[in-house]
Amino acid sequence: MSNTTVDSAVQAYQEQFDSRPTAAALAPGRVEIMGNHTDYNGGYVLLAALDRGTAVVGAATGDDTITLVAADFKRRAVLSARDLKRDSQNSWASYVLGVVQQLQQQGVPVGGFNAVLRSDVPSGSGLSSSAALEVATAFFLRQLFPYEMPPMEIARLCQRAENQFVGVNCGIMDQFSSIFGRADSLLFLDCLTLTHHPVHMGRDDVAIVICDSAVKHALTGGDYNTRRAECMAAAQHFGRKLLREVSWDEFVAREMELPENERKRARHVLTEDRRVLAMREAIARKETAPVCHLLAEGHASCRDLFENSTPELDFLVDTAVMLDGCIGAKLTGGGWGGCTVNLVHQDAVRQFSQDLAARYKEKTGRAAHIYACRAAQGAHTVKV
Ligand code: ADP
Ligand code: MG
């Protein structure tokens, strides 16, 4: 996420609308470092906002017409601020309109505007380009149609936009990290209480390298729903609504009462919560050895207990940890394909990325997409 993204959006705006934009906002994508499938169980998660983001630049028109240009997709959509409707030809516009609708429902008089969207967050790779777009839209619109709202409320508003207008049942963590990101810090979030705080990494020589396996296995939706149902059933067995409310001691004492799959899913979620807390501790104390160990345990738990890894992700993790400069690696995001996250010493990043890509290509014949990132600040406006 750099001003290059904004500059490029400004340039596209001038070409498209033959005038200068009056407002701009930039919001980052995010990656989960630890806390895989803990969010909907009310658990803990450690995230990083990335130095890759989505820019929304534009100006108010004074009428009711909203004209959106998706510069990355070379698409234009023309809509009405008085009659917000999904445009089946331009589904990407729904992420913006959903935010417009939620703001209007809060009494913010959002009228017509022109805007260009531009991003260097890969879309659909699990780095949450969708939340980056929603949050950038909310920060952009706040300049055109000023409103006061606490940051967590803006996160919730963007989440509702995605839930209700786009129709994706996402949790709060993506929008949360896009707003609360801090340079060189991870973000701790308690998904039950929404308590949160930054965890300063304390060293600027560690990069967050994301490796997209470029494989998405079929049946993902079905697997996701099955896992979620198994977690809820396990919690219910203990008389609780969420696994978070089951204590570790109680779980260990009675886990054998559960059907095998429910036991495995619940064991993953409850050990993962403990790993998030241990990782937060290790990072705060600047200890590398436990971080390395916890990342390995986290991946093994996904692979063996939650069973959301793939042979490609296992290969990427097993290969990465053998390469010079790698502190640790694990799968990240939903699983069944998608990405791994690697913590890598900055001076080794280039060689690490080349070697990982080469070995992956040799093994699978596929080209992995590798993004070397840093933990970065959250959404903000940019002067244009
Ligand atoms: P993820 O959030 O993991 O990247 P999603 O499927 O949730 O994947 O969101 C991706 C969708 O968000 C895209 O298909 C598109 O509709 C919208 N989107 C993301 N980035 C942009 C962009 N730069 N311009 C227009 N639409 C975007
Ligand atoms: Mg998304």
Side-chain angles (χ1 to χ4, degrees), residues 26-31 50 52-56 72-73 92 95-96 99 117-137 158 162 166 174-175 177-178 371:
L26 193 55
R30 65 95 188 95
V31 68
L50 301 173
R52 283 177 170 263
T54 299
V56 177
D72 304 301
F73 304 165
W92 53 271
Y95 296 86
V96 175
V99 173
L117 327 175
R118 179 64 125 177
S119 187
D120 62 355
V121 184
S123 146
S125 293
L127 302 185
S128 208
S129 67
S130 57
L133 177 52
E134 291 144 16
V135 170
T137 300
C158 291
E162 186 153 344
V166 181
D174 301 349
Q175 292 81 5
S177 15
S178 188
Y371 308 100

Side-chain angles (χ1 to χ4, degrees), residues 32 48 107 161 185 194 203 213 220 265 269 281 287 300 340:
E32 159 248 319
S185 293
L194 297 190
R203 48 192 306 167
S213 65
T220 301
R265 309 319 176 216
V269 170
E281 207 49 42
E287 293 171 351
T340 61

Side-chain angles (χ1 to χ4, degrees), residues 10 44 55 69 73 101 109 164 168 226 238 249 299 320 324 363:
V10 169
Y44 307 123
V69 172
F73 304 165
Q101 182 187 57
Q164 295 172 19
V168 173
T226 310
F238 288 91
D249 290 345
H299 185 76
D324 277 349
K363 174 82 179 173

Side-chain angles (χ1 to χ4, degrees), residues 1 22 36 45 133 139 175 243 274 282 290 294 330 345 351:
M1 181 175 60
T22 61
N36 198 263
V45 61
L133 177 52
F139 277 62
Q175 292 81 5
L243 278 174
R274 292 160 68 84
L294 288 162
K330 65 181 275 293
H345 289 293
Q351 193 64 48

